[in-house]
Structures are given as structure tokens and as C-alpha cells.
Amino acid sequence: TINMDGAGVYLITATYFLATIQGIHLGFSQMVLIGLLSTVCSMGSAPIPSAGLVFLATIISAANIPLNSTFSLVVAVDW
């Protein structure tokens, strides 16, 4: 559905943004991992309000991107 597509794009874009703002270069394997996790997470996030932030934190941790104060930039816009 439209919600799953939007959530998938949001999760990929936000993860890439947070990695870039911290100066982290994402390799091919990390981008594939982010894409796969975003696809799976977007299926579960559509019916749950504000689940995107929880799934974003999960994807960031799986991709070995530090979860620090830059995450608050996304929280401020998302919430």
C-alpha cells in the first residue's frame, strides 16, 4: 500500500541522512542491508502509529551507525 511505500522510502532516506551527517560512508553491503530491513520493517510499521522511529533505530543499529544526538533531528521532524 501507499503507507508501506512511504515508510520504506522514509527509513532508507533517514538512515542515509544520519550516516552522512555523521561522516560515515555506507558500503554496498550496508546499503543492501538497509534496503532489506526497510522493506521488512515497512510492512509492520504501517498499522502502528510512530513505529517508524523504533524501526529506524533498529535499522541504524543493524547498519553499525552510532545512535547519538543526530537522531534527535529526525525525531523532531517525525514526531
Side-chain angles (χ1 to χ4, degrees):
T1 66
I2 299 296
N3 288 339
M4 285 191 272
D5 294 342
V9 171
Y10 160 73
L11 292 171
I12 293 170
T13 306
T15 304
Y16 184 76
F17 170 74
L18 290 173
T20 304
I21 202 167
Q22 294 179 36
I24 298 170
H25 181 274
L26 297 175
F28 180 74
S29 61
Q30 284 180 310
M31 290 300 290
V32 169
L33 176 69
I34 291 168
L36 290 174
L37 287 175
S38 296
T39 302
V40 172
C41 289
S42 68
M43 288 183 226
S45 69
I48 304 170
S50 298
L53 289 175
V54 175
F55 288 131
L56 181 61
T58 304
I59 293 170
I60 288 171
S61 297
N64 294 326
I65 300 169
L67 187 64
N68 53 22
S69 62
T70 57
F71 189 73
S72 63
L73 295 172
V74 176
V75 172
V77 172
D78 186 278
W79 196 50

